[in-house]
Amino acid sequence: MSFTEKLLTVPPPIEIAGRHIKRYHVTADPAGIAPDVEKAAYEILPGLLPEPDGTPPATFVVLHRGADSGAYLNAYSWVWDNVLHFRGAAAGQPALHCPDLDPTHFVTPELPWIGCVWELPPILHERNAWVQHLLTPEVPDLDAYLTDSLPAGTTGARS
C-alpha cells in the first residue's frame, strides 16, 4: 500500500450548542467535502460535545472524507481548563459498525480511537494555540484562539 498525504482545508469557525467550533476538513478530493456530508456531520455534532464545565467553550473538529464510502467526524473539546475531550462519529464504514455505505448516515461508535494519520495534524497546532492564547496570558483570549488555525495545505509535515 502506498501512502499519500491528503488535502487539509480550514473553513471558518462556527458556533453550535453554545460552543465555538474550529473546523478542519480532510479529503483527497480537490473539490472538498460534499455539502450533504458536511451538513450531516454538523447535524450530529451537538451530541458529541461535552457539558459546560467553566472552561471557555471551544472545540475543534476534523471532518474526514475517506477515499471509499467512509466519512469521519472527530470532535476535540477543551474541558477542565487544559484537557481534550474526544467523541467521534462515522458514516459509511461497515468496519466501524455503520449500518450502510451512506456517507451521510453518521453513527457514534464507542471505540477508543482518536484519529487516523490524516486526522491528527491539527492536534499539535491546537494544543500550542490553546497554551498561547488561553493558558499563558494573564487574560485569556478566546477570540485569538479561534482565529489561530493550522493553515490549509496538506496533512503532511510543514516547513
Side-chain angles (χ1 to χ4, degrees):
M1 176 169 71
S2 177
F3 176 79
T4 304
E5 295 291 356
K6 293 188 178 182
L7 301 172
L8 177 76
T9 58
V10 186
I14 57 176
E15 190 171 326
I16 294 178
R19 292 190 78 85
H20 302 278
I21 313 291
K22 293 172 72 173
R23 302 184 296 157
Y24 296 97
H25 289 181
V26 174
T27 182
D29 185 349
I33 304 286
D36 60 336
V37 173
E38 181 178 3
K39 180 179 184 288
Y42 292 122
E43 284 176 354
I44 199 168
L45 182 57
L48 304 179
L49 302 174
E51 292 295 319
D53 71 351
T55 301
T59 295
F60 63 96
V61 297
V62 179
L63 177 57
H64 177 191
R65 183 66 166 95
D68 56 9
S69 57
Y72 315 94
L73 179 65
N74 297 344
Y76 305 94
S77 299
W78 291 105
V79 297
W80 206 37
D81 188 45
N82 60 16
V83 173
L84 273 182
H85 169 279
F86 172 79
R87 287 286 317 269
Q93 181 52 263
L96 298 180
H97 312 294
C98 296
D100 52 44
L101 298 178
D102 181 352
T104 66
H105 186 188
F106 281 88
V107 298
T108 54
E110 293 298 324
L111 296 169
W113 303 349
I114 65 165
C116 74
V117 296
W118 295 287
E119 298 161 355
L120 296 177
I123 292 175
L124 179 58
H125 177 86
E126 292 300 322
R127 177 260 182 219
N128 291 340
W130 190 259
V131 168
Q132 178 183 356
H133 300 297
L134 283 110
L135 299 180
T136 303
E138 191 147 328
V139 176
D141 190 346
L142 181 60
D143 290 334
Y145 169 75
L146 294 172
T147 61
D148 186 347
S149 293
L150 185 63
T154 69
T155 55
R158 315 272 174 128
S159 31

